């Protein structure tokens, strides 16, 4: 099996340096080459880039810079060379001639070009080098964007493509699609066409920038950045370059005309208004507005002047917002009245995109899967073009196209002629896709588990109010949260207790995981605020006791528990993970106890679990007391710190022996299942019910409070911050007991619950809760 012991990236620009960073994320030593001084500048830029290209700042030590002239020969020792120089063929030819000179057997070489022909790029190389050459087109930023397009040249060996695909999926966590050597490959080809079609429809219907972005974001199943915010982020000069590359390299004059430079973008570029990188494009920030805060202004393309953003509303938009799910919102919008110009605009935009994708099937990619995955992973569409055809109804959409005088794409007409009406079908949890006249089975990988597919196969053990228990096979079950935002409320807690009883009696162990956008954003804050505003203190006490008892039951279950969090895992989501025997973090896990952001402290066992973690740290470090690790966790919780990756959960103090990070998101459930089985095979020891935790005591609390007082004197925090930080210090340290006193977990749970209740009664805390619910941002009062 081909592996990469060492890699070289040639070109230390924004993309080259970021690719090197992601190789370092995967534990691969990397040589970053550029002209003298440029490689070092690229490395320095990585340290300042936000969000960080690195999972952990320490990983930058895996990258070594070199001079393109003096150190190029060192690339001969690498298993993979990535060329990431400027998008000019003559520049790439000069580099590839040098790559050819250092190529050796077993090496794979690739270009990160976003649209140049790989066959033209490698034309200067010898036959052996050409057999190992391909495009590996990373989307920017490489750490965060899942898509990687692999494009073989005519002579590329199939085994080299297979090796690279496997490596990029498993080691780099990428979503790999195989594209053909056509201009701009798959995602940029369709995405750019869709942008251009949007601009043409905007002009046709007389819409403003604000109106276009109100429609072309989540209502169409696309990112919040919609059209013009996305263009500003990409860079308008870059957008014109992509348009030109297609226009100059396609043979169909009609298609070439569709990629003509939009006049409004040409005018902006001529003025140097390139988008975010130049300070303004279709949007810009004004200096200040009234209260001293900056405001976002919108371009009027007719006058080329900026003005205040306008709120957009229409019956079609309001109806679409009320619909459930991205497919429901899209259908509602497109089926709105013909007289609604925003709906008419949306129909033109969507039809143009899905028809173009269908027309290009077979030319840019062989299957609908590759096109759909490219658009989901590369442009963050909720559904790819062919999934959209299915959601809208292929036959119904084709009929509407004919009614509107538009040609039905050939692949769609051919499918309908065979009495097939969907591009995808699901049967008993298995997926099939339509290809060349019949349906083909979508191969399932043994290291990937889909909860959706298991539920379709009838593997649901029970469906509770807020969570499901699902049979993963081999006597391992998975508890899947499915409440809104996967927030923890009474229904989820009841399901946890039911799962503990069921798994404790009949299963080998339990996985905590789900396939939602985030693992869990915390407890049900709205419920708590309503109870607090009504003075229902006994009810809040019962809610918190219920939370604590459920987490304690999870910890004491006589079977192993493995948590597999991903993305936002906050507050109560963290408290649900900490009772587990092992946590397998997705690389993109943002993990933190954030209750202080709303003027509260963790009370679902978070303080108690943190005190236990401090004891583990002290014992591992051979410390006489828990004061030092406890102070570190106090700072983490008091400041509501959240890890910027799964790896950084360790720096924040939440990591335990046996915990791990998984870069490949698709393997998360399978890896968690195997971890449960491993713990079971070893002979699982039931956790001690009456464990004692060594308290930091009043001495540790005093030290913490002194630090808080110093911050207050410096004006960094408010009086209310001091109030809840003091209660947090007492809850973490065990209250008014001497340092080193063994206390029960029940004692610590009582302290955190009492502090939580008292803070719920504070008007300033309630104001913070209301502000968070209204704005999604913390209030400092």
């Amino acid at each position: 099996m081909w592996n990469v012991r060492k890699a070289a990236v040639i070109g230390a620009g924004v993309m080259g340096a970021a690719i090197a960073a992601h190789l370092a994320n995967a534990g691969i030593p990397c040589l970053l080459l550029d002209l003298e001084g440029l490689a070092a500048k690229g490395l320095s830029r990585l340290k300042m880039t936000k969000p960080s290209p690195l999972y952990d700042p320490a990983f930058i030590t895996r990258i070594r810079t070199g001079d393109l002239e003096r150190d190029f020969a060192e690339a001969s020792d690498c298993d993979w060379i990535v060329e990431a120089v400027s998008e000019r063929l003559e520049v790439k030819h000069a580099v590839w001639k040098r790559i050819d000179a250092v190529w050796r057997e077993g090496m794979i070489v690739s270009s990160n070009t976003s649209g140049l022909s790989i066959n033209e790029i490698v034309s200067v190389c010898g036959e052996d080098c050409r057999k190992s050459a391909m495009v590996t087109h990373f989307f920017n930023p490489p750490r965060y964007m899942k898509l990687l397009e692999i494009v073989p040249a005519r002579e590329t060996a199939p085994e080299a493509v297979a090796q690279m695909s496997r490596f990029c999926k498993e080691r780099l966590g990428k979503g790999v699609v195989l594209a053909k050597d056509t201009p701009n490959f798959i995602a940029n080809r369709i995405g750019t066409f869709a942008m251009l079609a949007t601009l043409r429809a905007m002009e046709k219907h007389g819409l403003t920038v604000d109106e276009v972005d109100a429609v072309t974001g989540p209502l169409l199943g696309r990112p919040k950045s919609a059209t013009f915010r996305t263009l500003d982020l990409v860079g308008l000069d870059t957008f014109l370059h992509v348009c030109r590359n297609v226009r100059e390299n396609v043979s169909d004059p009609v298609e070439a005309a569709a990629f003509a430079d939009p006049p409004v973008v040409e005018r902006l570029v001529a003025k140097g208004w390139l988008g975010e990188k130049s300070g303004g494009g279709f949007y810009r920030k004004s200096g200040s507005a009234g209260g001293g805060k900056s405001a976002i202004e919108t371009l009027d393309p007719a006058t080329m002047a900026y003005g205040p953003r306008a709120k957009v509303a229409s019956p079609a938009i309001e109806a679409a917002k009320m619909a459930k799910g991205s497919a429901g919102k899209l259908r509602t919008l497109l089926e709105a009245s013909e007289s609604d110009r925003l709906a008419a605009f949306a129909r033109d935009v969507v039809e143009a995109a899905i028809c173009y994708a269908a027309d290009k099937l077979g030319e840019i990619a062989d299957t609908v899967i590759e096109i759909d995955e490219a658009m989901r992973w590369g442009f963050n569409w909720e559904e790819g073009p062919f999934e959209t055809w299915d959601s809208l109804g292929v036959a119904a959409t084709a009929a509407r196209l004919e009614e509107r005088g538009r040609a039905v794409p050939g692949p769609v007409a051919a499918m309908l002629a065979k009495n097939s009406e969907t591009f995808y079908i699901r049967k008993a949890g298995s997926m099939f896709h339509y290809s060349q006249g019949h349906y083909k089975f979508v191969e399932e990988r043994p290291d990937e588990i889909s909860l959706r597919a298991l539920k379709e196969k009838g593997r649901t053990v029970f469906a509770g109010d807020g969570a499901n228990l699902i049979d993963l096979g081999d006597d391992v079950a998975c508890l899947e949260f499915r409440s809104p935002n996967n927030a923890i409320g009474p229904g989820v807690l009841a399901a946890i207790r039911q799962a503990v009883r069921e798994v404790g009696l009949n299963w080998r162990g339990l996985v905590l995981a789900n396939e939602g956008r985030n693992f869990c954003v915390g407890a049900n804050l709205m419920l708590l605020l309503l109870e607090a505003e009504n003075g229902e203190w006994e009810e809040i006490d019962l809610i918190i006791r219920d939370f604590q008892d459920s987490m304690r039951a999870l910890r004491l279950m006589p079977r192993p528990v493995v948590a597999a969090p991903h993305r936002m895992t906050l507050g109560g989501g963290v408290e649900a993970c900490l009772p587990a025997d092992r946590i397998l973090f997705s690389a993109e896990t943002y993990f933190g106890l954030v209750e202080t952001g709303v003027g509260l402290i963790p009370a679902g066992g978070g303080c108690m679990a943190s005190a236990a973690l401090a004891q583990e740290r002290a014992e591992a470090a051979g410390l006489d007391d828990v004061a030092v690790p406890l102070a570190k966790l106090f700072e983490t919780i008091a400041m509501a710190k959240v890890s910027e990756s799964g790896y950084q959960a360790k720096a924040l103090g939440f990591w335990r022996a046996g915990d791990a990070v998984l870069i490949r998101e698709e393997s998360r459930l399978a890896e968690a299942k195997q971890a449960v089985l491993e713990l079971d095979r070893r002979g699982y020891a039931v956790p001690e019910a009456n464990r004692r935790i060594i308290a930091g005591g009043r001495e540790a609390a005093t030290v913490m409070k002194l630090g808080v007082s110093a911050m207050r004197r410096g004006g960094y925090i408010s009086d209310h911050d001091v109030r809840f930080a003091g209660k947090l210090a007492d809850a973490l340290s065990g209250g008014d007991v001497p340092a080193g006193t063994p206390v029960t977990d029940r004692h610590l749970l009582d302290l955190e619950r009492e502090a939580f209740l008292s803070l719920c009664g504070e008007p300033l805390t309630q104001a913070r809760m209301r502000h968070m619910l209204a704005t999604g941002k913390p209030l400092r009062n």
Side-chain angles (χ1 to χ4, degrees):
M1 299 292 284
W2 182 73
N3 197 12
V4 179
R5 299 161 300 166
K6 180 181 176 183
V9 177
I10 303 171
V14 172
M15 279 302 295
I19 291 168
H22 196 57
L23 295 174
N25 285 335
I28 300 166
C30 189
L31 175 65
L32 181 61
L33 293 170
D34 209 320
L35 297 174
E36 187 172 5
L38 293 182
K41 287 181 181 178
L43 197 66
S44 297
R45 188 173 55 249
L46 288 178
K47 298 176 184 177
M48 298 182 291
T49 301
K50 296 294 180 184
S52 176
L54 295 157
Y55 290 145
D56 190 304
F59 292 173
I60 202 165
T61 59
R62 296 170 180 168
I63 304 172
R64 187 171 66 82
T65 59
D67 180 77
L68 195 57
E69 301 304 322
R70 293 193 306 269
D71 304 317
F72 198 93
E74 292 186 36
S76 63
D77 189 40
C78 296
D79 300 300
W80 181 14
I81 299 177
V82 185
E83 168 268 302
V85 300
S86 65
E87 291 285 84
R88 292 162 50 199
L89 194 57
E90 67 274 16
V91 175
K92 292 189 182 292
H93 276 167
V95 170
W96 277 79
K97 286 177 183 177
R98 300 185 67 182
I99 291 174
D100 187 46
V102 300
W103 183 89
R104 59 171 176 78
E105 187 70 32
M107 179 189 289
I108 293 182
V109 290
S110 68
S111 174
N112 184 56
T113 179
S114 60
L116 296 181
S117 167
I118 184 62
N119 286 296
E120 290 185 14
I121 289 171
V122 302
S123 63
V124 297
C125 300
E127 181 181 358
D128 289 337
C129 183
R130 294 199 302 271
K131 288 180 179 178
S132 69
M134 65 192 72
V135 168
T136 50
H137 178 213
F138 290 82
F139 270 58
N140 190 31
R143 169 185 164 181
Y144 299 96
M145 294 301 291
K146 189 174 180 66
L147 179 61
L148 178 75
E149 292 176 319
I150 290 182
V151 186
R154 279 187 296 268
E155 298 171 76
T156 307
E159 58 268 26
V161 175
Q163 289 167 342
M164 181 59 75
S165 297
R166 180 192 63 81
F167 179 83
C168 291
K169 288 177 183 176
E170 296 180 3
R171 286 291 301 278
L172 303 185
K174 290 294 163 191
V176 174
V177 299
L178 293 181
K180 296 189 176 184
D181 191 21
T182 56
N184 292 96
F185 314 133
I186 301 174
N188 278 342
R189 180 80 166 267
I190 295 174
T192 302
F193 179 90
M195 289 280 191
L196 291 166
T198 300
L199 289 168
R200 290 191 294 271
M202 173 188 182
E203 185 175 357
K204 171 184 172 182
H205 294 280
L207 269 56
T208 65
V209 167
D210 287 318
E211 287 175 324
V212 169
D213 275 1
V215 173
T216 58
L219 293 185
L220 294 192
R222 298 183 188 174
K224 290 181 180 178
S225 55
T227 297
F228 293 110
R229 177 66 179 141
T230 298
L231 284 171
D232 279 355
L233 289 169
V234 168
L236 302 184
D237 54 339
T238 302
F239 178 67
L240 290 185
H241 169 77
V242 175
C243 293
R244 184 172 61 252
N245 189 56
V246 178
R247 188 170 63 247
E248 294 178 353
N249 290 283
V250 294
S251 57
D252 181 0
V254 175
E255 183 176 11
F259 282 86
D261 292 346
V264 63
V265 179
E266 287 183 313
R267 292 196 296 271
L268 284 164
V269 171
K271 286 177 172 288
W273 300 353
L274 308 180
E276 189 169 88
K277 62 186 175 185
S278 67
F282 286 99
Y283 294 99
R284 75 172 184 186
K285 264 187 185 176
S286 66
S288 65
K293 294 182 179 180
S294 62
I296 303 296
E297 295 181 326
T298 310
L299 181 78
D300 179 350
T303 64
M304 297 300 286
Y306 290 95
R309 299 184 70 177
K311 185 173 178 59
V312 179
S314 83
I317 285 181
E318 298 311 310
K321 286 180 178 178
M322 297 297 292
K324 290 187 177 181
S326 57
K329 294 180 190 304
L330 178 60
R331 282 195 301 271
T332 301
L333 182 61
L334 299 189
E335 292 169 3
S337 168
E338 290 287 339
S339 63
D340 191 306
R341 63 194 187 101
L342 296 185
F345 161 79
R347 282 189 286 271
D348 284 349
V349 169
V350 171
E351 287 173 2
I354 64 175
C355 286
Y356 183 74
D359 282 331
K360 295 295 111 180
L361 182 61
E363 178 184 335
I364 62 176
D366 284 329
T367 71
V368 297
I369 294 176
E370 287 154 338
I371 292 176
D372 281 345
E373 288 180 338
M375 298 316 297
R376 282 193 278 106
W377 293 336
F379 275 72
N380 292 319
W381 290 10
E382 289 285 335
E383 293 185 328
F386 295 98
E387 291 167 324
T388 301
W389 276 101
D390 282 358
S391 291
L392 299 177
V394 179
T397 302
R400 282 195 299 269
L401 289 172
E402 291 176 334
E403 288 173 8
R404 290 157 59 84
R406 185 165 195 154
V408 176
V412 177
M415 186 178 77
L416 292 174
K418 289 184 173 289
N419 296 318
S420 298
E421 294 197 352
T422 59
F423 284 101
Y424 297 93
I425 57 174
R426 299 185 71 91
K427 292 182 180 179
S430 295
M431 176 71 79
F432 300 80
H433 72 95
Y434 186 84
S435 178
Q436 298 177 342
H438 61 279
Y439 287 96
K440 293 183 178 179
F441 175 65
V442 179
E443 185 178 353
E444 298 173 354
R445 290 182 49 137
D447 61 343
E448 295 179 8
I449 294 176
S450 164
L451 295 180
R452 174 184 173 181
L454 290 176
K455 287 185 284 188
E456 290 176 352
K457 292 176 181 178
R459 300 271 284 275
T460 300
V461 181
F462 70 74
D465 180 16
N468 300 323
L469 190 68
I470 300 165
D471 178 4
L472 297 182
D474 297 317
D475 294 324
V476 177
C478 175
L479 186 64
E480 172 202 37
F481 297 172
R482 57 173 181 80
S483 59
N485 292 317
N486 287 338
I488 296 179
V492 172
L493 295 175
I496 288 173
R497 294 192 300 275
Q498 184 178 353
V500 167
R501 292 191 295 271
E502 168 66 24
V503 175
L505 289 172
N506 302 312
W507 301 74
R508 295 173 70 180
L510 179 68
V511 169
L512 297 176
N514 62 68
E515 295 171 335
R517 187 181 297 275
N518 299 299
F519 176 76
C520 176
V521 298
N524 189 329
L525 188 61
M526 176 63 79
L527 174 63
L528 285 170
L529 177 60
L530 289 173
E531 299 289 5
E533 288 179 332
N534 292 328
E536 299 288 351
W537 311 120
E538 290 186 4
E539 186 63 29
I540 294 176
D541 182 67
L542 286 173
I543 291 171
I544 301 307
R545 285 179 186 273
D546 188 20
F547 201 140
Q548 291 179 338
D549 290 346
S550 299
M551 298 304 110
R552 191 169 189 269
L554 198 58
R555 184 181 73 81
L556 297 177
M557 189 175 73
R559 303 290 183 185
V561 180
V562 174
H566 67 287
R567 297 192 67 80
M568 302 302 289
T569 304
L570 305 175
V574 172
E575 291 176 306
C577 291
L578 291 177
D581 299 286
R582 186 171 294 176
I583 302 177
L584 300 183
F585 298 92
S586 170
E588 298 299 343
T589 304
Y590 316 122
F591 197 84
L593 291 167
V594 296
E595 286 82 354
T596 59
V598 291
L600 297 168
I601 70 168
C607 290
M608 180 273 294
S610 297
L613 283 170
Q615 179 177 334
E616 290 179 20
R617 299 284 181 282
E619 291 172 350
L623 301 175
D624 293 333
D625 60 49
V626 299
V628 172
L630 199 61
K632 173 65 177 175
L633 281 162
F634 170 75
E635 178 185 337
T636 293
I637 300 169
M639 297 180 70
K641 291 184 179 180
V642 177
S643 72
E644 295 181 7
S645 72
Y647 288 97
Q648 285 197 318
K650 186 172 187 177
L652 295 186
F654 294 120
W655 193 280
R656 299 90 48 84
D659 290 350
V661 175
L662 304 174
I663 292 181
R664 186 165 182 266
E665 174 68 22
E666 290 85 353
S667 67
R668 188 165 48 91
L669 283 159
E671 292 282 358
K673 173 185 168 181
Q674 290 305 313
V676 166
L677 294 173
E678 177 191 348
L679 289 167
D680 179 64
R681 282 193 298 268
R682 290 179 178 179
Y684 183 69
V686 179
E688 182 183 355
N690 298 312
R691 67 171 174 174
R692 298 277 173 159
I693 298 169
I694 301 302
R698 64 180 74 95
E699 294 85 352
T702 298
V703 172
M704 296 177 204
K705 292 174 184 178
L706 286 172
V708 172
S709 297
M711 291 188 71
R712 180 68 188 102
R713 289 194 300 274
Y716 297 107
I717 59 176
S718 69
D719 288 337
H720 191 51
D721 292 324
V722 173
R723 189 175 297 111
F724 67 69
K727 291 182 179 293
L728 174 64
D730 290 335
L732 287 173
S733 61
D736 189 18
V737 298
T741 302
V743 297
T744 65
D745 58 359
R746 286 289 191 191
H747 172 77
L748 292 169
L749 291 172
D750 288 344
L751 287 174
E752 66 178 50
R753 187 180 67 257
E754 290 162 7
F756 187 94
L757 278 166
S758 67
L759 288 168
C760 279
E762 295 279 353
L764 291 176
T765 286
Q766 293 178 20
R768 290 191 180 199
M769 294 166 76
R770 281 192 295 273
H771 190 269
M772 178 64 74
L773 287 167
T775 69
K777 298 177 181 179
L779 171 68
R780 297 302 177 196
N781 56 3

